[in-house]
PDB file of all heavy atoms in Angstrom:
ATOM      1  N   LEU X 217       9.693  -2.230  -4.631  1.00 91.00           N
ATOM      2  CA  LEU X 217       9.477  -1.088  -5.516  1.00 91.00           C
ATOM      3  C   LEU X 217       8.735   0.030  -4.790  1.00 91.00           C
ATOM      4  O   LEU X 217       9.099   1.213  -4.906  1.00 91.00           O
ATOM      5  CB  LEU X 217       8.672  -1.539  -6.747  1.00 91.00           C
ATOM      6  CG  LEU X 217       8.210  -0.450  -7.717  1.00 91.00           C
ATOM      7  CD1 LEU X 217       9.413   0.266  -8.342  1.00 91.00           C
ATOM      8  CD2 LEU X 217       7.317  -1.051  -8.808  1.00 91.00           C
ATOM      9  N   ILE X 218       7.715  -0.319  -4.033  1.00 95.00           N
ATOM     10  CA  ILE X 218       6.943   0.659  -3.258  1.00 95.00           C
ATOM     11  C   ILE X 218       7.843   1.356  -2.244  1.00 95.00           C
ATOM     12  O   ILE X 218       7.804   2.579  -2.096  1.00 95.00           O
ATOM     13  CB  ILE X 218       5.761  -0.035  -2.553  1.00 95.00           C
ATOM     14  CG1 ILE X 218       4.728  -0.506  -3.580  1.00 95.00           C
ATOM     15  CG2 ILE X 218       5.109   0.901  -1.530  1.00 95.00           C
ATOM     16  CD1 ILE X 218       3.725  -1.489  -3.027  1.00 95.00           C
ATOM     17  N   ASP X 219       8.674   0.575  -1.557  1.00 94.00           N
ATOM     18  CA  ASP X 219       9.541   1.137  -0.519  1.00 94.00           C
ATOM     19  C   ASP X 219      10.560   2.128  -1.083  1.00 94.00           C
ATOM     20  O   ASP X 219      11.010   3.026  -0.371  1.00 94.00           O
ATOM     21  CB  ASP X 219      10.278   0.013   0.226  1.00 94.00           C
ATOM     22  CG  ASP X 219       9.348  -0.794   1.122  1.00 94.00           C
ATOM     23  OD1 ASP X 219       8.259  -0.290   1.439  1.00 94.00           O
ATOM     24  OD2 ASP X 219       9.716  -1.936   1.485  1.00 94.00           O
ATOM     25  N   ARG X 220      10.917   1.981  -2.361  1.00 93.00           N
ATOM     26  CA  ARG X 220      11.876   2.896  -2.991  1.00 93.00           C
ATOM     27  C   ARG X 220      11.212   4.134  -3.571  1.00 93.00           C
ATOM     28  O   ARG X 220      11.895   5.046  -4.048  1.00 93.00           O
ATOM     29  CB  ARG X 220      12.636   2.187  -4.122  1.00 93.00           C
ATOM     30  CG  ARG X 220      13.493   1.028  -3.687  1.00 93.00           C
ATOM     31  CD  ARG X 220      14.461   0.622  -4.800  1.00 93.00           C
ATOM     32  NE  ARG X 220      13.773   0.289  -6.047  1.00 93.00           N
ATOM     33  CZ  ARG X 220      13.402  -0.947  -6.396  1.00 93.00           C
ATOM     34  NH1 ARG X 220      13.629  -1.956  -5.565  1.00 93.00           N
ATOM     35  NH2 ARG X 220      12.814  -1.173  -7.551  1.00 93.00           N
ATOM     36  N   SER X 221       9.878   4.154  -3.551  1.00 92.00           N
ATOM     37  CA  SER X 221       9.132   5.219  -4.225  1.00 92.00           C
ATOM     38  C   SER X 221       8.420   6.134  -3.235  1.00 92.00           C
ATOM     39  O   SER X 221       8.097   5.741  -2.115  1.00 92.00           O
ATOM     40  CB  SER X 221       8.105   4.579  -5.162  1.00 92.00           C
ATOM     41  OG  SER X 221       7.196   5.524  -5.658  1.00 92.00           O
ATOM     42  N   GLU X 222       8.157   7.351  -3.680  1.00 94.00           N
ATOM     43  CA  GLU X 222       7.389   8.299  -2.875  1.00 94.00           C
ATOM     44  C   GLU X 222       5.934   7.877  -2.742  1.00 94.00           C
ATOM     45  O   GLU X 222       5.216   8.394  -1.891  1.00 94.00           O
ATOM     46  CB  GLU X 222       7.471   9.704  -3.486  1.00 94.00           C
ATOM     47  CG  GLU X 222       8.676  10.509  -3.083  1.00 94.00           C
ATOM     48  CD  GLU X 222       8.748  10.722  -1.578  1.00 94.00           C
ATOM     49  OE1 GLU X 222       7.755  11.187  -0.982  1.00 94.00           O
ATOM     50  OE2 GLU X 222       9.794  10.377  -0.990  1.00 94.00           O
ATOM     51  N   ILE X 223       5.515   6.931  -3.572  1.00 96.00           N
ATOM     52  CA  ILE X 223       4.106   6.525  -3.552  1.00 96.00           C
ATOM     53  C   ILE X 223       3.692   6.015  -2.187  1.00 96.00           C
ATOM     54  O   ILE X 223       2.530   6.128  -1.793  1.00 96.00           O
ATOM     55  CB  ILE X 223       3.842   5.450  -4.639  1.00 96.00           C
ATOM     56  CG1 ILE X 223       2.336   5.210  -4.826  1.00 96.00           C
ATOM     57  CG2 ILE X 223       4.559   4.152  -4.309  1.00 96.00           C
ATOM     58  CD1 ILE X 223       1.580   6.407  -5.335  1.00 96.00           C
ATOM     59  N   LYS X 224       4.646   5.471  -1.417  1.00 94.00           N
ATOM     60  CA  LYS X 224       4.302   4.936  -0.095  1.00 94.00           C
ATOM     61  C   LYS X 224       3.789   6.011   0.847  1.00 94.00           C
ATOM     62  O   LYS X 224       3.127   5.714   1.854  1.00 94.00           O
ATOM     63  CB  LYS X 224       5.512   4.230   0.522  1.00 94.00           C
ATOM     64  CG  LYS X 224       6.689   5.120   0.852  1.00 94.00           C
ATOM     65  CD  LYS X 224       7.834   4.312   1.444  1.00 94.00           C
ATOM     66  CE  LYS X 224       9.029   5.174   1.788  1.00 94.00           C
ATOM     67  NZ  LYS X 224       9.705   5.715   0.582  1.00 94.00           N
ATOM     68  N   ASN X 225       4.077   7.280   0.552  1.00 95.00           N
ATOM     69  CA  ASN X 225       3.597   8.399   1.367  1.00 95.00           C
ATOM     70  C   ASN X 225       2.333   9.041   0.796  1.00 95.00           C
ATOM     71  O   ASN X 225       1.791   9.963   1.392  1.00 95.00           O
ATOM     72  CB  ASN X 225       4.693   9.465   1.481  1.00 95.00           C
ATOM     73  CG  ASN X 225       5.958   8.923   2.122  1.00 95.00           C
ATOM     74  OD1 ASN X 225       5.901   8.210   3.112  1.00 95.00           O
ATOM     75  ND2 ASN X 225       7.109   9.266   1.545  1.00 95.00           N
ATOM     76  N   GLN X 226       1.893   8.565  -0.363  1.00 97.00           N
ATOM     77  CA  GLN X 226       0.776   9.210  -1.060  1.00 97.00           C
ATOM     78  C   GLN X 226      -0.501   8.384  -1.069  1.00 97.00           C
ATOM     79  O   GLN X 226      -1.592   8.915  -1.311  1.00 97.00           O
ATOM     80  CB  GLN X 226       1.205   9.525  -2.503  1.00 97.00           C
ATOM     81  CG  GLN X 226       2.371  10.500  -2.560  1.00 97.00           C
ATOM     82  CD  GLN X 226       2.992  10.591  -3.943  1.00 97.00           C
ATOM     83  OE1 GLN X 226       2.866   9.670  -4.767  1.00 97.00           O
ATOM     84  NE2 GLN X 226       3.653  11.694  -4.225  1.00 97.00           N
ATOM     85  N   VAL X 227      -0.375   7.079  -0.821  1.00 97.00           N
ATOM     86  CA  VAL X 227      -1.539   6.192  -0.745  1.00 97.00           C
ATOM     87  C   VAL X 227      -1.301   5.216   0.408  1.00 97.00           C
ATOM     88  O   VAL X 227      -0.269   5.268   1.065  1.00 97.00           O
ATOM     89  CB  VAL X 227      -1.775   5.414  -2.072  1.00 97.00           C
ATOM     90  CG1 VAL X 227      -2.145   6.348  -3.205  1.00 97.00           C
ATOM     91  CG2 VAL X 227      -0.528   4.604  -2.426  1.00 97.00           C
ATOM     92  N   ASN X 228      -2.252   4.322   0.629  1.00 96.00           N
ATOM     93  CA  ASN X 228      -2.103   3.314   1.679  1.00 96.00           C
ATOM     94  C   ASN X 228      -2.008   1.937   1.041  1.00 96.00           C
ATOM     95  O   ASN X 228      -2.879   1.544   0.268  1.00 96.00           O
ATOM     96  CB  ASN X 228      -3.294   3.366   2.640  1.00 96.00           C
ATOM     97  CG  ASN X 228      -3.132   2.389   3.798  1.00 96.00           C
ATOM     98  OD1 ASN X 228      -2.016   2.113   4.235  1.00 96.00           O
ATOM     99  ND2 ASN X 228      -4.237   1.867   4.295  1.00 96.00           N
ATOM    100  N   PHE X 229      -0.938   1.206   1.356  1.00 95.00           N
ATOM    101  CA  PHE X 229      -0.779  -0.169   0.894  1.00 95.00           C
ATOM    102  C   PHE X 229      -0.987  -1.120   2.062  1.00 95.00           C
ATOM    103  O   PHE X 229      -0.591  -0.827   3.190  1.00 95.00           O
ATOM    104  CB  PHE X 229       0.626  -0.397   0.321  1.00 95.00           C
ATOM    105  CG  PHE X 229       0.851   0.237  -1.017  1.00 95.00           C
ATOM    106  CD1 PHE X 229       1.481   1.466  -1.111  1.00 95.00           C
ATOM    107  CD2 PHE X 229       0.434  -0.390  -2.187  1.00 95.00           C
ATOM    108  CE1 PHE X 229       1.701   2.060  -2.338  1.00 95.00           C
ATOM    109  CE2 PHE X 229       0.650   0.195  -3.433  1.00 95.00           C
ATOM    110  CZ  PHE X 229       1.286   1.426  -3.504  1.00 95.00           C
ATOM    111  N   MET X 230      -1.595  -2.273   1.777  1.00 89.00           N
ATOM    112  CA  MET X 230      -1.738  -3.300   2.806  1.00 89.00           C
ATOM    113  C   MET X 230      -1.650  -4.674   2.161  1.00 89.00           C
ATOM    114  O   MET X 230      -2.148  -4.881   1.043  1.00 89.00           O
ATOM    115  CB  MET X 230      -3.060  -3.154   3.565  1.00 89.00           C
ATOM    116  CG  MET X 230      -4.302  -3.413   2.749  1.00 89.00           C
ATOM    117  SD  MET X 230      -5.807  -3.342   3.752  1.00 89.00           S
ATOM    118  CE  MET X 230      -5.896  -1.602   4.101  1.00 89.00           C
ATOM    119  N   ALA X 231      -0.981  -5.594   2.839  1.00 86.00           N
ATOM    120  CA  ALA X 231      -0.917  -6.982   2.384  1.00 86.00           C
ATOM    121  C   ALA X 231      -2.142  -7.697   2.935  1.00 86.00           C
ATOM    122  O   ALA X 231      -2.315  -7.796   4.145  1.00 86.00           O
ATOM    123  CB  ALA X 231       0.358  -7.637   2.876  1.00 86.00           C
ATOM    124  N   SER X 232      -3.004  -8.187   2.058  1.00 83.00           N
ATOM    125  CA  SER X 232      -4.203  -8.884   2.517  1.00 83.00           C
ATOM    126  C   SER X 232      -4.032 -10.400   2.487  1.00 83.00           C
ATOM    127  O   SER X 232      -4.880 -11.131   2.984  1.00 83.00           O
ATOM    128  CB  SER X 232      -5.420  -8.471   1.684  1.00 83.00           C
ATOM    129  OG  SER X 232      -5.113  -8.479   0.308  1.00 83.00           O
ATOM    130  N   SER X 233      -2.918 -10.873   1.892  1.00 85.00           N
ATOM    131  CA  SER X 233      -2.549 -12.284   1.929  1.00 85.00           C
ATOM    132  C   SER X 233      -1.122 -12.386   1.397  1.00 85.00           C
ATOM    133  O   SER X 233      -0.521 -11.369   1.014  1.00 85.00           O
ATOM    134  CB  SER X 233      -3.492 -13.138   1.062  1.00 85.00           C
ATOM    135  OG  SER X 233      -3.202 -12.954  -0.307  1.00 85.00           O
ATOM    136  N   LEU X 234      -0.588 -13.598   1.339  1.00 88.00           N
ATOM    137  CA  LEU X 234       0.749 -13.789   0.767  1.00 88.00           C
ATOM    138  C   LEU X 234       0.761 -13.491  -0.730  1.00 88.00           C
ATOM    139  O   LEU X 234       1.814 -13.219  -1.305  1.00 88.00           O
ATOM    140  CB  LEU X 234       1.215 -15.232   0.996  1.00 88.00           C
ATOM    141  CG  LEU X 234       1.506 -15.644   2.443  1.00 88.00           C
ATOM    142  CD1 LEU X 234       1.802 -17.140   2.502  1.00 88.00           C
ATOM    143  CD2 LEU X 234       2.682 -14.848   2.994  1.00 88.00           C
ATOM    144  N   TRP X 235      -0.425 -13.509  -1.354  1.00 92.00           N
ATOM    145  CA  TRP X 235      -0.524 -13.385  -2.806  1.00 92.00           C
ATOM    146  C   TRP X 235      -1.124 -12.055  -3.250  1.00 92.00           C
ATOM    147  O   TRP X 235      -1.315 -11.842  -4.436  1.00 92.00           O
ATOM    148  CB  TRP X 235      -1.384 -14.530  -3.363  1.00 92.00           C
ATOM    149  CG  TRP X 235      -0.837 -15.867  -2.988  1.00 92.00           C
ATOM    150  CD1 TRP X 235       0.119 -16.581  -3.650  1.00 92.00           C
ATOM    151  CD2 TRP X 235      -1.189 -16.654  -1.848  1.00 92.00           C
ATOM    152  NE1 TRP X 235       0.384 -17.761  -2.998  1.00 92.00           N
ATOM    153  CE2 TRP X 235      -0.400 -17.838  -1.886  1.00 92.00           C
ATOM    154  CE3 TRP X 235      -2.083 -16.495  -0.791  1.00 92.00           C
ATOM    155  CZ2 TRP X 235      -0.487 -18.832  -0.918  1.00 92.00           C
ATOM    156  CZ3 TRP X 235      -2.158 -17.480   0.176  1.00 92.00           C
ATOM    157  CH2 TRP X 235      -1.378 -18.629   0.107  1.00 92.00           C
ATOM    158  N   THR X 236      -1.435 -11.178  -2.316  1.00 94.00           N
ATOM    159  CA  THR X 236      -2.095  -9.926  -2.691  1.00 94.00           C
ATOM    160  C   THR X 236      -1.544  -8.720  -1.952  1.00 94.00           C
ATOM    161  O   THR X 236      -1.257  -8.786  -0.763  1.00 94.00           O
ATOM    162  CB  THR X 236      -3.614  -9.996  -2.418  1.00 94.00           C
ATOM    163  OG1 THR X 236      -3.832 -10.399  -1.061  1.00 94.00           O
ATOM    164  CG2 THR X 236      -4.319 -10.948  -3.364  1.00 94.00           C
ATOM    165  N   MET X 237      -1.438  -7.635  -2.689  1.00 94.00           N
ATOM    166  CA  MET X 237      -1.139  -6.328  -2.118  1.00 94.00           C
ATOM    167  C   MET X 237      -2.248  -5.393  -2.571  1.00 94.00           C
ATOM    168  O   MET X 237      -2.576  -5.350  -3.764  1.00 94.00           O
ATOM    169  CB  MET X 237       0.219  -5.811  -2.607  1.00 94.00           C
ATOM    170  CG  MET X 237       0.585  -4.418  -2.097  1.00 94.00           C
ATOM    171  SD  MET X 237       1.023  -4.409  -0.350  1.00 94.00           S
ATOM    172  CE  MET X 237       2.656  -5.148  -0.426  1.00 94.00           C
ATOM    173  N   GLU X 238      -2.831  -4.642  -1.636  1.00 96.00           N
ATOM    174  CA  GLU X 238      -3.923  -3.738  -1.977  1.00 96.00           C
ATOM    175  C   GLU X 238      -3.508  -2.287  -1.789  1.00 96.00           C
ATOM    176  O   GLU X 238      -2.723  -1.972  -0.890  1.00 96.00           O
ATOM    177  CB  GLU X 238      -5.160  -4.048  -1.122  1.00 96.00           C
ATOM    178  CG  GLU X 238      -5.641  -5.470  -1.307  1.00 96.00           C
ATOM    179  CD  GLU X 238      -7.033  -5.725  -0.749  1.00 96.00           C
ATOM    180  OE1 GLU X 238      -7.743  -4.740  -0.479  1.00 96.00           O
ATOM    181  OE2 GLU X 238      -7.401  -6.898  -0.596  1.00 96.00           O
ATOM    182  N   MET X 239      -4.028  -1.439  -2.639  1.00 97.00           N
ATOM    183  CA  MET X 239      -3.757  -0.007  -2.565  1.00 97.00           C
ATOM    184  C   MET X 239      -5.071   0.750  -2.404  1.00 97.00           C
ATOM    185  O   MET X 239      -6.022   0.521  -3.148  1.00 97.00           O
ATOM    186  CB  MET X 239      -3.042   0.475  -3.834  1.00 97.00           C
ATOM    187  CG  MET X 239      -2.720   1.964  -3.834  1.00 97.00           C
ATOM    188  SD  MET X 239      -1.794   2.492  -5.315  1.00 97.00           S
ATOM    189  CE  MET X 239      -3.100   2.486  -6.543  1.00 97.00           C
ATOM    190  N   LEU X 240      -5.130   1.627  -1.401  1.00 97.00           N
ATOM    191  CA  LEU X 240      -6.287   2.485  -1.169  1.00 97.00           C
ATOM    192  C   LEU X 240      -5.814   3.925  -1.064  1.00 97.00           C
ATOM    193  O   LEU X 240      -4.603   4.198  -1.056  1.00 97.00           O
ATOM    194  CB  LEU X 240      -7.017   2.080   0.108  1.00 97.00           C
ATOM    195  CG  LEU X 240      -7.633   0.679   0.130  1.00 97.00           C
ATOM    196  CD1 LEU X 240      -6.694  -0.293   0.830  1.00 97.00           C
ATOM    197  CD2 LEU X 240      -8.984   0.679   0.808  1.00 97.00           C
ATOM    198  N   ALA X 241      -6.751   4.841  -0.959  1.00 98.00           N
ATOM    199  CA  ALA X 241      -6.393   6.246  -0.784  1.00 98.00           C
ATOM    200  C   ALA X 241      -5.622   6.421   0.524  1.00 98.00           C
ATOM    201  O   ALA X 241      -5.722   5.598   1.446  1.00 98.00           O
ATOM    202  CB  ALA X 241      -7.652   7.113  -0.778  1.00 98.00           C
ATOM    203  N   LYS X 242      -4.858   7.468   0.614  1.00 96.00           N
ATOM    204  CA  LYS X 242      -4.062   7.733   1.813  1.00 96.00           C
ATOM    205  C   LYS X 242      -4.953   7.783   3.056  1.00 96.00           C
ATOM    206  O   LYS X 242      -6.052   8.338   3.024  1.00 96.00           O
ATOM    207  CB  LYS X 242      -3.321   9.068   1.657  1.00 96.00           C
ATOM    208  CG  LYS X 242      -2.358   9.361   2.793  1.00 96.00           C
ATOM    209  CD  LYS X 242      -1.589  10.649   2.545  1.00 96.00           C
ATOM    210  CE  LYS X 242      -0.608  10.912   3.683  1.00 96.00           C
ATOM    211  NZ  LYS X 242       0.162  12.160   3.469  1.00 96.00           N
ATOM    212  N   ASP X 243      -4.456   7.173   4.145  1.00 95.00           N
ATOM    213  CA  ASP X 243      -5.158   7.146   5.437  1.00 95.00           C
ATOM    214  C   ASP X 243      -6.510   6.445   5.367  1.00 95.00           C
ATOM    215  O   ASP X 243      -7.403   6.708   6.181  1.00 95.00           O
ATOM    216  CB  ASP X 243      -5.349   8.569   5.983  1.00 95.00           C
ATOM    217  CG  ASP X 243      -4.026   9.276   6.230  1.00 95.00           C
ATOM    218  OD1 ASP X 243      -3.070   8.602   6.631  1.00 95.00           O
ATOM    219  OD2 ASP X 243      -3.957  10.499   6.012  1.00 95.00           O
ATOM    220  N   THR X 244      -6.667   5.552   4.395  1.00 96.00           N
ATOM    221  CA  THR X 244      -7.930   4.825   4.244  1.00 96.00           C
ATOM    222  C   THR X 244      -7.735   3.353   4.584  1.00 96.00           C
ATOM    223  O   THR X 244      -6.841   2.696   4.054  1.00 96.00           O
ATOM    224  CB  THR X 244      -8.467   4.961   2.804  1.00 96.00           C
ATOM    225  OG1 THR X 244      -8.704   6.343   2.521  1.00 96.00           O
ATOM    226  CG2 THR X 244      -9.757   4.187   2.626  1.00 96.00           C
ATOM    227  N   HIS X 245      -8.575   2.857   5.472  1.00 95.00           N
ATOM    228  CA  HIS X 245      -8.571   1.456   5.866  1.00 95.00           C
ATOM    229  C   HIS X 245      -9.903   1.177   6.563  1.00 95.00           C
ATOM    230  O   HIS X 245     -10.741   2.088   6.702  1.00 95.00           O
ATOM    231  CB  HIS X 245      -7.390   1.130   6.783  1.00 95.00           C
ATOM    232  CG  HIS X 245      -7.185   2.115   7.905  1.00 95.00           C
ATOM    233  ND1 HIS X 245      -7.973   2.138   9.035  1.00 95.00           N
ATOM    234  CD2 HIS X 245      -6.287   3.126   8.045  1.00 95.00           C
ATOM    235  CE1 HIS X 245      -7.565   3.108   9.840  1.00 95.00           C
ATOM    236  NE2 HIS X 245      -6.551   3.732   9.270  1.00 95.00           N
ATOM    237  N   LYS X 246     -10.124  -0.043   6.988  1.00 96.00           N
ATOM    238  CA  LYS X 246     -11.396  -0.392   7.616  1.00 96.00           C
ATOM    239  C   LYS X 246     -11.708   0.515   8.813  1.00 96.00           C
ATOM    240  O   LYS X 246     -12.849   0.915   9.027  1.00 96.00           O
ATOM    241  CB  LYS X 246     -11.380  -1.850   8.082  1.00 96.00           C
ATOM    242  CG  LYS X 246     -11.416  -2.872   6.966  1.00 96.00           C
ATOM    243  CD  LYS X 246     -11.355  -4.287   7.540  1.00 96.00           C
ATOM    244  CE  LYS X 246     -11.340  -5.357   6.468  1.00 96.00           C
ATOM    245  NZ  LYS X 246     -11.203  -6.716   7.042  1.00 96.00           N
TER     246      LYS X 246
END
């Protein structure tokens, strides 16, 4: 769903495990 949406260019997604997907502000990570 994320890959089909413009949202992937507006925030930052990261897989933190097989069971979790996290969303942060764009260009935000550790």
Side-chain angles (χ1 to χ4, degrees):
L217 173 63
I218 292 165
D219 289 341
R220 297 194 303 267
S221 169
E222 275 300 308
I223 191 64
K224 66 181 180 291
N225 300 316
Q226 298 168 337
V227 295
N228 184 32
F229 287 98
M230 66 176 70
S232 46
S233 75
L234 292 174
W235 303 274
T236 53
M237 178 73 75
E238 301 194 15
M239 180 177 75
L240 297 97
K242 186 176 181 180
D243 299 325
T244 299
H245 47 77
K246 289 178 182 177

